[in-house]
Amino acid sequence: MAETRITLTLIGTKEEGGNIRLDDFLRQLEATKKALIETNRLLSQQRSVYYRVVDLHHSSPAAVVLEAVPRVQQPGIAEAVVDTFYTAVSTIQQEGRAPDLFDYDALQAFKQMTELLGRSSIAEISLSRNGDTMSLTDSLAQRIDEILGPDEYERGSVEGMLEHINLHSGQNVFTVYPTSRLPKIRCVFPKELRQQAIAAIDKYVHVFGFLKYKRREWYPYEMRAQSIEVYESEENLPTLHDLRGIAPEAAGDQLSEDFVRGLRDEWE
């Protein structure tokens, strides 16, 4: 089943004697895994494939062979993921274009596969499939930046569940997950909104600010939040019984029946 396998080969720097540091090895595997998962997402509505290591060796040079295994009964999905993944890397790097179905998140994941190249103990990276091999270079990241283009800004808002807040080292970032099928959006907020953001965790919110788009995307990938409004959950909203007697003087000197009848006449 060679068509469902992808080989990742790594060559270490001269300073490390051609070896790869463990941290760098794990980070490179994680980056490759993320790109494969994003490819799966584009092709299927569910996580339909997992990956297992079918070969691993450290001998001129280090290489790991990953095999895509279908989780569900979806004919050809494992082959499609591996083929789309490999073809996309080649097309982006060599031709400077991305498949139409590739969105911002997928392209960012592919870009991360070259982050360690030349900036760690990894000197060279290559991918192989069915006897074909290609080297990953910095041009992959450069091409992706060109494909995505510069940021475009627009004032606007998003609604959804506020989750995954990160306050470490002053990052001040949370994620909003819309209740619809719209993509999640990363929101960066100023320190003035820190307590509001913490109080809004796991709640439905309306966030207003500056939205950031890429030219090939119709939906923003990030927001610079300026305000956060938390919607009350259904159990905290007042019932009709709670509203009884809330405005005892609303009808003035009129009988309640005459007051309601007058309202009805206005509606007609």
Side-chain angles (χ1 to χ4, degrees):
M1 295 181 62
E3 68 275 6
T4 63
R5 294 182 177 183
I6 196 87
T7 301
L8 173 67
T9 302
L10 305 174
I11 298 178
T13 60
K14 292 181 179 179
E15 291 77 9
E16 295 291 341
N19 297 308
I20 308 294
R21 294 184 182 182
L22 178 60
D23 286 348
D24 295 336
F25 179 71
L26 294 177
R27 287 175 62 189
Q28 187 61 46
L29 278 181
E30 186 61 33
T32 305
K33 174 187 171 183
K34 186 175 181 180
L36 285 165
I37 289 174
E38 284 295 315
T39 306
N40 188 169
R41 175 183 63 82
L42 297 173
L43 297 176
S44 177
Q45 294 297 320
Q46 55 186 318
R47 187 74 69 83
S48 52
V49 172
Y50 71 90
Y51 303 91
R52 60 189 176 199
V53 177
V54 294
D55 193 11
L56 176 65
H57 59 267
H58 180 277
S59 176
S60 301
V64 55
V65 182
L66 305 174
E67 182 178 58
V69 182
R71 297 176 185 268
V72 296
Q73 293 299 320
Q74 189 173 347
I77 184 62
E79 293 88 343
V81 171
V82 170
D83 180 69
T84 302
F85 168 79
Y86 190 87
T87 302
V89 174
S90 176
T91 302
I92 293 170
Q93 186 166 267
Q94 296 180 22
E95 301 178 26
R97 61 181 180 85
D100 291 339
L101 77 164
F102 271 60
D103 57 18
Y104 176 83
D105 287 341
L107 289 170
Q108 285 296 103
F110 274 62
K111 180 180 175 179
Q112 289 173 13
M113 285 196 295
T114 61
E115 280 189 348
L116 296 179
L117 192 59
R119 291 173 285 277
S120 66
S121 62
I122 300 175
E124 297 180 34
I125 304 172
S126 65
L127 295 172
S128 303
R129 183 207 58 167
N130 283 348
D132 296 326
T133 299
M134 63 177 162
S135 297
L136 299 189
T137 69
D138 287 333
S139 65
L140 179 65
Q142 295 168 3
R143 295 282 200 174
I144 289 174
D145 285 339
E146 293 169 1
I147 291 168
L148 289 173
D151 288 329
E152 298 176 0
Y153 295 86
E154 180 180 302
R155 290 178 69 86
S157 62
V158 293
E159 293 183 343
M161 294 295 295
L162 191 154
E163 301 179 24
H164 298 164
I165 190 168
N166 185 353
L167 306 174
H168 183 67
S169 298
Q171 291 191 60
N172 293 341
V173 175
F174 59 76
T175 303
V176 172
Y177 290 83
T179 53
S180 62
R181 290 186 176 272
L182 292 173
K184 65 185 179 182
I185 180 168
R186 180 177 185 266
C187 297
V188 181
F189 60 92
K191 62 181 180 180
E192 292 79 11
L193 293 180
R194 187 183 179 103
Q195 293 306 316
Q196 284 182 259
I198 294 173
I201 296 174
D202 292 332
K203 295 180 180 177
Y204 194 75
V205 298
H206 180 102
V207 185
F208 181 82
F210 284 94
L211 300 168
K212 294 174 67 174
Y213 294 81
K214 289 297 186 180
R215 65 187 176 195
R216 62 179 279 138
E217 300 293 315
W218 64 272
Y219 190 76
Y221 74 92
E222 186 176 281
M223 167 184 266
R224 299 289 176 177
Q226 293 180 309
S227 66
I228 304 170
E229 178 185 356
V230 178
Y231 292 124
E232 290 288 346
S233 58
E234 290 186 9
E235 57 267 24
N236 292 330
L237 294 176
T239 64
L240 290 175
H241 182 270
D242 296 328
L243 296 175
R244 184 177 181 181
I246 193 173
E249 305 299 328
D253 295 332
Q254 290 181 286
L255 293 174
S256 59
E257 293 85 349
D258 294 335
F259 178 73
V260 173
R261 187 178 296 112
L263 292 176
R264 289 173 176 170
D265 291 340
E266 290 180 6
W267 296 340
E268 294 177 355

